[in-house]
Amino acid sequence: MNLKQAKELVHGRLSDKRYEHTLNVKKMAVKLAKIYGEDEERAALAALLHDSAKEISKDEMREILRAYPQYAEGGEERPAPVWHGVCAAILARTQWGVTDEAVLSAIACHTAGKPGMTRLDKILYLADMTSAERDWPGVEKLRKLEKKNLDAAMLAALKQTNDFVLSQGKPLDPMSKAAYEDILARSGKNER
Ligand SMILES: [Fe+2]
Ligand SMILES: [Fe+2]
């Protein structure tokens, strides 16, 4: 699937608002890819498809996870908000002909992160949090940091997301916790 096809596909699957978000994530992902020497086309494709399963029903997502347990990454045991990334990666792989494992990985982990995230995984995760229309408190700070230091930005981003989830009284996805601990351990120290 090329970028034009991906764009058309998600335009048909998403509301105007989410389509606009998607295009903004693509812009930010390409910008970060340029800074960090990542393949821009891969970043663009992952960004275009990242929320492609966000507007299907929970039942439909559950069906996709059950149909492809080998790609479900913990599946429906995990909190429902993370399902759409995993489902998007499954659809991309099984229905839309996306074969690039790096792209599929970035799509699948864009909501929760995971231990051992690749540079592309991190770029998409951060682009999704800092796309042009995002206006949560602290987003400007993260936009500055992500352009200077990808890992420091990931650490801040995962902490922000995990703290937010916990503050809402919602269950934290074990993968998010593990992603944070992994980056913390790799960055070596004292940010806890
Ligand atoms: Fe998402
Ligand atoms: Fe998104």
Side-chain angles (χ1 to χ4, degrees):
M1 166 170 282
N2 64 32
L3 295 181
K4 188 167 174 281
Q5 290 166 326
K7 208 169 157 180
E8 276 166 17
L9 178 97
V10 295
H11 199 187
R13 292 177 64 89
L14 299 176
S15 64
D16 290 349
K17 199 168 170 221
R18 186 156 285 116
Y19 181 63
E20 194 192 321
H21 160 68
T22 295
L23 296 183
N24 288 340
V25 173
K26 177 182 168 239
K27 262 184 221 153
M28 187 58 93
V30 168
K31 193 185 266 185
L32 293 173
K34 274 191 185 127
I35 295 173
Y36 293 105
E38 181 56 62
D39 187 286
E40 289 170 38
E41 202 164 321
R42 271 180 160 170
L45 184 61
L48 282 174
L49 296 177
H50 85 284
D51 273 344
S52 59
K54 185 115 180 184
E55 293 180 9
I56 60 179
S57 71
K58 232 171 134 175
D59 283 344
E60 213 175 320
M61 285 194 239
R62 196 177 284 114
E63 266 174 43
I64 295 168
L65 295 171
R66 286 183 185 175
Y68 297 97
Q70 69 275 42
Y71 304 129
E73 302 190 7
E76 56 192 295
E77 305 300 316
R78 295 174 65 192
V82 314
W83 293 2
H84 74 277
V86 178
C87 286
I90 292 175
L91 291 173
R93 180 194 292 275
T94 61
Q95 318 288 317
W96 308 330
V98 176
T99 53
D100 187 334
E101 291 295 337
V103 169
L104 294 167
S105 163
I107 296 170
C109 77
H110 85 262
T111 316
K114 65 180 176 186
M117 287 173 86
T118 66
R119 187 172 53 183
L120 185 63
D121 293 340
K122 293 171 190 169
I123 283 173
L124 181 59
Y125 186 97
L126 288 166
D128 189 27
M129 270 184 90
T130 59
S131 52
E133 86 292 349
R134 298 281 198 201
D135 60 358
W136 51 274
V139 70
E140 259 323 309
K141 214 173 143 193
L142 187 60
R143 284 189 185 119
K144 281 192 189 124
L145 187 57
E146 71 187 353
K147 285 170 195 123
K148 282 192 233 146
N149 185 326
L150 204 60
D151 282 333
M154 269 313 296
L155 199 61
L158 283 162
K159 184 163 175 16
Q160 152 81 26
T161 310
N162 292 357
D163 288 353
F164 179 74
V165 170
L166 292 171
S167 78
Q168 302 275 94
K170 293 189 176 141
L172 183 62
D173 182 52
M175 206 80 104
S176 303
K177 191 167 178 276
Y180 176 74
E181 282 163 2
D182 177 60
I183 301 241
L184 185 65
R186 283 165 200 265
S187 64
K189 63 227 119 203
N190 66 29
E191 302 247 6
R192 202 176 289 265

